Amino acid sequence: MDGYELLMNRKSIRAYEDRGISSEVKEKIFQGIFRAPTAGNMMLYSVIEVREQEKKNILSKTCDNQPFIATAPLVLVFLADYERWFRYFEYSGVKQKCILKNIDMRNPDVGDLLLACCDALIAAQNCVIACESLGLGSCYIGDIIENYEVHKELFNLPKYAFPIAMLCIGYPTPNQVIRKKPKRFKEEFILFKDKYIDIDDEFLKKFDEDAVSVRGGASFPKGIENFGQQVYFRKFGAEFSEEMSRSANKILQEWKVAMNNE
C-alpha cells in the first residue's frame, strides 16, 4: 500500500488481536514519531508509553469510560512540553545573560503552549501513519485532556507539560480490518479559496443534507429532530465535553500561574 492509499483507507481501530507488539516494531514506531515536522527542530513534545496495566485501567475510566483503552497493547500519551527547553534555558545561564542585557527573561506563554500542542499533534499523526504502514491500527483519544488533575498525578507531570492526545495501538481484529471507513463531509464544506466563506442558511441547508448522508440516514433518537441536535447533545453539550473544557481551562490557568511566578 502506497502512502496515498494508506491515507485514504486509514480508520480508527478500537478492537485488537490478543498479541503484543515486538520491541523491533515499537522502535520503528518511535523513530517515525521522532522524524515528525517540528517548530524550529525543537521537538516541543514528549511521549509517555503507558506500560503499567493499572494505569491503562485508570485511563479507561478517566478518558470518558472507554474499556478498550485497558486492552490496547500499546498506549502512548503525547504531551505538549516546554518544560525540557525552559529548564535547559535556565541551565544555559539565559537568566544571568538577560540580567546583563537589562531585559527580563521571558517565561513560556500561551503562544508557546499552542506551538507545543501543534508539535505534539503532528508527532501523533506521524505515529498513526507509521502504525498503518506496519500493519497496526490506532485510535485517537482526545479525552486525555479531561481530568487533568488525575493525569498530572498519574504521570508526574511538571509545570510546562500537558497531555494533548493519546493513541491506543494494536493489531486490528479481522472484523476491524473489513469494516468500512466512515464517510467524510464533501469538500465544498471544508476547503475554501483565499478566504473564509459566509455561513448562510443556504450553506447550512446543504451541510445538513450532507451530514445526514454521511451518517447513513435521517433516523434520530427519541426527542431529537435533526443531526445538529444529535451532535450537540451527544458531543458538544455532553458531560465529557464540559469536563474537557473545565480541564483545559485548568491547564491554561496552571500554565499562566507558572508563567507569572517563575
Side-chain angles (χ1 to χ4, degrees):
M1 187 183 299
D2 65 24
Y4 185 76
E5 185 181 1
L6 185 150
L7 289 172
M8 293 299 102
N9 287 284
R10 190 269 167 187
K11 56 182 178 282
S12 294
I13 300 296
R14 297 178 175 85
Y16 313 104
E17 290 187 346
D18 186 18
R19 60 168 167 149
I21 301 171
S22 71
S23 57
E24 291 79 11
V25 170
K26 280 187 182 180
E27 182 59 24
K28 288 182 177 179
I29 293 171
F30 295 147
Q31 290 307 312
I33 293 171
F34 302 150
R35 301 306 297 176
T38 169
N41 200 26
M42 294 177 73
M43 298 178 74
L44 300 171
Y45 63 90
S46 294
V47 185
I48 296 176
E49 178 186 357
V50 185
R51 297 185 295 181
E52 295 177 15
Q53 185 59 50
E54 181 56 31
K55 287 187 176 180
K56 290 184 182 181
N57 294 341
I58 292 171
L59 290 169
S60 72
K61 297 175 182 178
T62 58
C63 294
D64 199 32
N65 297 305
Q66 300 184 78
F68 79 93
I69 295 172
T71 64
L74 179 60
V75 175
L76 300 177
V77 177
F78 290 78
L79 307 175
D81 184 3
Y82 231 107
E83 183 77 15
R84 177 171 55 247
W85 274 99
F86 191 70
R87 296 306 161 209
Y88 181 56
F89 294 153
E90 292 182 324
Y91 172 84
S92 300
V94 170
K95 187 171 185 179
Q96 291 77 8
K97 184 62 68 173
C98 286
I99 292 173
L100 290 175
K101 289 177 171 287
N102 198 31
I103 60 175
D104 293 329
M105 180 180 178
R106 191 173 78 82
N107 298 323
D109 207 332
V110 175
D112 304 298
L113 170 60
L114 292 178
L115 194 62
C117 288
C118 291
D119 260 22
L121 291 172
I122 293 168
Q125 185 61 15
N126 250 44
C127 179
V128 165
I129 301 306
C131 288
E132 290 290 318
S133 70
L134 294 166
L136 291 154
S138 62
C139 183
Y140 273 106
I141 308 294
D143 303 282
I144 190 65
I145 299 174
E146 298 176 43
N147 295 299
Y148 164 63
E149 297 88 345
V150 176
H151 298 152
K152 179 181 180 179
E153 181 177 354
L154 188 67
F155 297 120
N156 190 36
L157 300 180
K159 288 183 292 188
Y160 292 124
F162 299 100
I164 196 65
M166 184 167 77
L167 282 171
C168 291
I169 298 164
Y171 292 99
T173 62
N175 285 340
Q176 290 292 301
V177 173
I178 64 175
R179 179 174 58 87
K180 289 185 178 181
K181 179 182 177 72
K183 293 176 65 177
R184 295 292 193 258
F185 294 110
K186 290 180 180 178
E187 182 178 301
E188 64 186 276
F189 303 115
I190 309 299
L191 179 62
F192 305 149
K193 309 297 183 183
D194 294 321
K195 64 178 181 179
Y196 201 91
I197 68 170
D198 293 330
I199 305 296
D200 55 19
D201 286 351
E202 182 61 27
F203 176 98
L204 294 171
K205 180 177 182 297
K206 292 180 179 179
F207 181 74
D208 178 63
E209 292 170 353
D210 191 45
V212 170
S213 174
V214 166
R215 72 184 300 276
S219 177
F220 303 105
K222 184 177 180 180
I224 298 297
E225 300 171 358
N226 55 53
F227 189 59
Q229 292 179 10
Q230 182 179 7
V231 172
Y232 178 88
F233 290 107
R234 182 169 175 263
K235 295 285 188 181
F236 187 81
E239 286 186 15
F240 79 85
S241 288
E242 294 183 6
E243 163 55 28
M244 186 177 292
S245 290
R246 183 209 66 81
S247 187
N249 274 299
K250 180 66 174 178
I251 289 172
L252 289 172
Q253 289 169 8
E254 292 216 357
W255 188 279
K256 289 180 178 179
V257 168
M259 175 187 72
N260 293 326
N261 295 335
E262 193 67 48

